[in-house]
Amino acid sequence: MALLDFGGVQENVVTRAEFPLEKALEVMKNEVIAVLGYGVQGPGQALNLRDNGFNVIVGQRKNSPSWNKAINDGWVVGKDLFDIDEACHRGTYLQFLLSDGGQIDGWATVSKHLSAGKTLGFSHGFGITFNDQTGIVPPADVDVVLVAPKGSGTSLRRLFLQGKGLNSSYAIYQNASGKAYERVIAYGVGVGSGYLFETDFKREVYSDLTGERGVLMGAIAGIFEAQYAVLREKGHTPSEAFNETVEELTQSLMPLVAENGMDWMYANCSVTAQRGALDWRHKFREATRPVFEELYQSVREGKEAAIAIEAARRPDYRETLAKELAEIRESELWRTGKTVRGLRPENEM
């Protein structure tokens, strides 16, 4: 473990230089990793582990779309693809990747297989942190750990296939065996983490729920909609409004930020753009700070967890979700986006 400087704050980080794949394989040589759930994170984690040489099986509800997806990805029924109950029986390291609502429903099945010495792994701190609502309370004689890739399962897999990595956080909730640290880091290396930074279950879920509702998804969608609407109302065409709101951000500016940071992106823009951005960022920061404060408080108090759990339990949730997503998809903003994406130069080749 290395102590690295992040903006003047020292943090513990594990890199692949100090914990290489060979060491991870040695740590896990006697483990059967059961990836439970083949929805969002499951495919990326399971496939990366398999390609890296770990002994991994998949647990998924039979004859579901995800079950069929697993078969299409090369998992073989009765060999390394089982229903969740059988996978839990066979596995020694159970990576619990069902949705937050699915974990509540599946806990009775998983918990009965948590015999002494096994490891229960998560990629989200939700079930443990809000166990007063989820009922997920592991027995004291198992290790309980977390590896949370900082991106979608799709990105985890794509970057792995490109020979890259996706950083992850890790946490230890229970260390019954005394070997939880080695196992959780080995798992993180196995799924393709570029490096792993230390957290705990509570901090992981608080930051994750805030980020999803904030900058990563909720806030950015709302800001897109607001600016696009203003430009359209002021007489700008759909293509012009979309390009100045979304396309330039995603295709030009964010890659520059990812490459070397916000200051570098600013330095590679016009003086007019620099000056306007530097002046207006303060106003946007002050305008949105109260919203983020309200959001974080709602997360910490468990209100967001309750909303998510209640929504997932509604029998018509998938139908309602489909309508909400269709509303976004069929808006002028994102119908314009579909046309603009089709006109990108690479699509002419």
Side-chain angles (χ1 to χ4, degrees), residues 6 49 66 83 88 97 113 121 184-185 192 196 218 221 226 325:
F6 289 86
L49 286 163
S66 294
D83 65 26
C88 289
L97 296 182
H113 293 285
V184 71
I185 299 301
L196 294 111
L325 296 180

Side-chain angles (χ1 to χ4, degrees), residues 33-286:
I33 300 172
V35 174
L36 309 177
Y38 206 75
V40 178
Q41 278 286 334
Q45 293 192 25
L47 290 169
N48 290 2
L49 286 163
R50 185 176 70 179
D51 289 354
N52 270 333
F54 292 82
N55 184 8
V56 58
I57 62 177
V58 170
Q60 176 59 39
R61 183 167 54 86
K62 285 185 175 181
N63 302 319
S64 63
S66 294
W67 175 270
N68 296 328
K69 174 176 171 52
I71 292 173
N72 291 335
D73 284 346
W75 303 96
V76 179
V77 178
K79 177 187 176 185
D80 49 24
L81 175 61
F82 306 93
D83 65 26
I84 292 177
D85 186 69
E86 182 64 20
C88 289
H89 171 70
R90 291 171 177 259
T92 61
Y93 189 117
L94 309 184
Q95 184 70 4
F96 203 9
L97 296 182
L98 298 179
S99 67
D100 294 326
Q103 287 186 8
I104 297 172
D105 295 336
W107 178 240
T109 299
V110 173
S111 60
K112 69 181 181 182
H113 293 285
L114 290 175
S115 53
K118 284 195 176 187
T119 300
L120 176 63
F122 293 86
S123 284
H124 194 19
F126 191 98
I128 293 291
T129 299
F130 301 114
N131 58 22
D132 59 329
Q133 299 183 57
T134 66
I136 297 177
V137 180
D141 55 1
V142 300
D143 291 347
V144 182
V145 299
L146 175 146
V147 171
K150 297 297 102 179
S152 70
T154 300
S155 298
L156 184 71
R157 182 61 177 166
R158 285 178 179 173
L159 290 169
F160 178 87
L161 292 174
Q162 294 170 14
K164 301 177 182 179
L166 190 68
N167 61 298
S168 299
S169 59
Y170 77 92
I172 298 170
Y173 184 74
Q174 287 183 182
N175 185 11
S177 70
K179 299 178 181 178
Y181 173 78
E182 290 80 7
R183 288 171 178 165
V184 71
I185 299 301
Y187 185 91
V189 171
V191 299
S193 303
Y195 67 87
L196 294 111
F197 61 92
E198 189 176 25
T199 187
D200 59 43
F201 275 65
K202 187 173 290 186
R203 283 173 27 222
E204 190 281 331
V205 73
Y206 286 1
S207 60
D208 187 73
L209 293 185
T210 300
E212 290 169 347
R213 285 150 179 75
V215 170
L216 300 179
M217 296 173 67
I220 196 70
I223 290 171
F224 282 163
E225 291 166 3
Q227 180 170 302
Y228 182 87
V230 168
L231 290 174
R232 289 289 288 123
E233 289 166 5
K234 302 303 181 185
H236 298 272
T237 63
S239 62
E240 185 170 54
F242 185 87
N243 277 298
E244 292 298 334
T245 300
V246 179
E247 190 73 353
E248 187 172 350
L249 174 71
T250 60
Q251 297 302 296
S252 174
L253 301 182
M254 282 299 102
L256 296 181
V257 175
E259 188 174 343
N260 275 313
M262 186 67 73
D263 61 317
W264 194 79
M265 183 268 276
Y266 281 173
N268 284 273
C269 294
S270 70
V271 172
T272 303
Q274 290 170 359
R275 190 65 267 146
L278 288 168
D279 291 344
W280 276 86
R281 74 184 179 95
H282 302 293
K283 182 168 287 190
F284 279 108
R285 183 185 64 245
E286 297 309 311

